[in-house]
Amino acid sequence: MYSQAAMMLDRILRLLAAYNIVTCSSETDDEGKLLTWHYGPAPVCKWLTKNEEGVSMASLVLMNQDKVLMESWYHLKDAVLDGGIPFNKAYGVTPFEYFGKDARCNQLFNEGMKSQTVIITKKLIEFYPGFDDVNILVDVGGGTGATLGIITSSYNHIKGVEHVGGDMLEEVPTGDAILIKCTLHDWSDEHCMTILKNCYRALPDNAKVIIVERILPVNPSAAPESQGVFDVDLVMLLQTPGGKQRTQNEFEALSKEAGFSSLKATHVFANTWAIELKK
Ligand SMILES: C[S@@+](CC[C@H](N)C(=O)[O-])C[C@H]1O[C@@H](n2cnc3c(N)ncnc32)[C@H](O)[C@@H]1O
């Protein structure tokens, strides 16, 4: 190994300690001369190391910090000045088109999505009671199927329907509930209206849509649960055609216009909510 590696690693760890990612204490000799530093995991490391399901939030961090996605930031100023989507300005295609042609990025995206969904869906099952009366659950924009897999293995009576290969902007499958998790934030209000109207059309009377999304606070604050949502909101600005995080009022307006009669939001985890729309 490179002779200066330990010193370099020390400097990296000291920065991480300054942000409370790791703990740090120094060891001195009897004269007070510094001998070494000792590092350990700070509480946030619980989320950055694999849990009993073999996933952690580190995959999502690695996805968002990947050089392909980071490139979008360099096009943000031009998008503010001239319009357009920063990611598309960088690569000439949308992220989903790009992932379709780049196996490494696709794997990174799927791993990031799967990891967060395993963690959040466990909390969804713990705190959202609305799956008891569902028999057929359609997962629109379900990705690798991890979300549905967790729900159907916890609720054996539920038959899960993946919406794979279909276009939710055209049509969605029928069921007695439609789950749409971390997907509406990829789309503009106009797109969301089309998707929600397609859901409304596909559902029988008294059925429901369960949107699982972060809800944007009206006023930003320096608390991590607020910072996290505004952070994802910027990622949506960088990479999607009009996608954004939404306030509860914005979800209410969309659901009303799509025809739904009521909205009830249940907090699940870290500002992620189950937003139930009744037909
Ligand atoms: C941000 S991911 C969310 C995945 C998953 N629901 C989760 O929470 O982990 C958005 C998903 O929407 C899918 N998607 C994108 N455009 C779509 C379309 N037009 N119709 C259906 N699904 C689409 C993507 O393939 C991706 O799996």
Side-chain angles (χ1 to χ4, degrees):
M1 193 185 293
Y2 176 50
S3 60
Q4 300 299 306
M7 174 275 290
M8 293 164 85
L9 201 54
D10 242 336
R11 289 165 65 182
I12 295 168
L13 284 165
R14 270 161 31 193
L15 173 69
L16 292 175
Y19 283 90
N20 236 353
I21 310 293
V22 297
T23 60
C24 173
S25 59
S26 53
E27 188 184 323
T28 52
D29 65 14
D30 293 344
E31 275 89 51
K33 182 170 170 270
L34 180 70
L35 296 176
T36 187
W37 287 282
H38 295 284
Y39 301 97
V44 72
C45 289
K46 170 179 160 43
W47 302 102
L48 299 174
T49 47
K50 287 186 176 172
N51 65 11
E52 55 285 359
E53 270 96 28
V55 295
S56 84
M57 284 295 185
S59 307
L60 199 62
V61 176
L62 289 173
M63 178 192 107
N64 280 328
Q65 304 298 317
D66 188 76
K67 63 180 179 179
V68 168
L69 294 183
M70 289 297 285
E71 182 65 22
S72 310
W73 288 96
Y74 297 97
H75 298 266
L76 181 57
K77 188 191 88 175
D78 288 343
V80 171
L81 293 176
D82 309 328
I85 305 164
F87 185 96
N88 297 27
K89 282 183 176 293
Y91 296 104
V93 289
T94 69
F96 291 126
E97 286 164 344
Y98 188 97
F99 299 156
K101 294 199 173 97
D102 182 326
R104 185 194 68 85
C105 269
N106 200 40
Q107 161 82 7
L108 197 71
F109 177 76
N110 285 338
E111 202 46 51
M113 286 300 114
K114 184 185 153 210
S115 300
Q116 59 79 28
T117 211
V118 169
I119 291 166
I120 290 171
T121 307
K122 292 262 166 187
K123 299 283 183 188
L124 178 67
I125 286 165
E126 194 178 340
F127 294 108
Y128 171 66
F131 291 118
D132 289 335
D133 60 355
V134 174
N135 292 308
I136 301 172
L137 180 66
V138 179
D139 188 7
V140 168
T144 56
T147 312
L148 210 46
I150 295 168
I151 297 171
T152 52
S153 56
S154 299
Y155 292 88
N156 292 326
H157 70 279
I158 295 183
K159 178 177 181 289
V161 178
E162 283 290 349
H163 183 227
V164 176
D167 184 354
M168 63 192 165
L169 294 163
E170 295 293 328
E171 196 182 16
V172 301
T174 187
D176 46 26
I178 292 175
L179 179 73
I180 180 156
K181 177 178 167 295
C182 300
T183 293
L184 289 182
H185 73 169
D186 291 337
W187 299 97
S188 69
D189 287 345
E190 292 71 27
H191 289 118
C192 287
M193 189 53 60
T194 304
I195 297 164
L196 288 175
K197 281 185 174 165
N198 287 344
C199 293
Y200 188 92
R201 213 170 294 126
L203 288 172
D205 287 347
N206 302 320
K208 61 193 171 193
V209 170
I210 306 157
I211 300 169
V212 179
E213 286 277 359
R214 297 168 184 85
I215 291 185
L216 192 78
V218 175
N219 295 310
S221 78
E225 61 272 24
S226 169
Q227 291 164 332
V229 192
F230 287 99
D231 187 26
V232 179
D233 184 56
L234 247 280
V235 173
M236 295 304 126
L237 181 67
L238 290 166
Q239 292 166 17
T240 68
K244 56 185 177 179
Q245 297 305 132
R246 293 180 169 86
T247 63
Q248 181 155 343
N249 278 350
E250 288 171 325
F251 278 115
E252 272 163 4
L254 280 175
S255 69
K256 206 168 166 193
E257 203 183 325
F260 292 93
S261 63
S262 69
L263 177 151
K264 186 175 159 215
T266 307
H267 186 246
V268 171
F269 176 62
N271 229 342
T272 296
W273 297 68
I275 306 164
E276 189 180 273
L277 313 183
K278 281 265 172 67
K279 197 164 167 182

